[in-house]
Amino acid sequence: MEPLDRHILTLLAQDGRTSFADLGRRVGLSTSAVHQRVKRLEERGAILGYRAEIDHASVGLPLTALISVVPFDPAAPDDIPERLTDIEQIVSCWSVAGDENYVLLVRVQRPQELEELLATIRAQGQCSTHTTVVLSTPWEGRAAMLPEGAVPTE
């Protein structure tokens, strides 16, 4: 990946609403040249989408937790993400190395809802859970710096 594309990606990761004109000024290209590069990055899959950053507490979801899951039967098909995909409180699901198979990021209104959600995850996912409740979030969603020579997979 060209350093210029990496720079554009870094700027968009910091603020996805940056205009093409502003991007162009910051990277030294015309607005149309930046637009073409961004479109190409989207087509290659380097840019997956654009999202609003939400203050979850202000929209009624102040409780965040990380839930590690392990299937009851390790020999069963590895389909926990598919079994849990319809649970709207699960924000993210990561496959991980280590003692657990997956880590889930969840957001709920109150502890009782977390307790009910855990029971649902255990039953629907046919798994055991280990939960860590987030007390505060000093920062989150920081844009990763793209390494030199990063090449998007196609």
Side-chain angles (χ1 to χ4, degrees), residues 111-131:
Q112 299 87 333
E113 186 179 348
L114 178 59
E115 188 173 19
E116 292 166 6
L117 176 60
L118 288 168
T120 300
I121 290 171
R122 289 181 192 124
Q124 201 165 311
Q126 300 170 14
C127 58
S128 63
T129 63
H130 176 84
T131 304

Side-chain angles (χ1 to χ4, degrees), residues 88-109:
E88 64 185 28
Q89 296 95 330
I90 300 175
V91 176
S92 298
C93 174
W94 299 288
S95 175
V96 296
D99 294 334
E100 292 86 12
N101 293 54
Y102 296 93
V103 174
L104 311 173
L105 172 68
V106 303
R107 297 191 194 277
V108 295
Q109 292 181 329

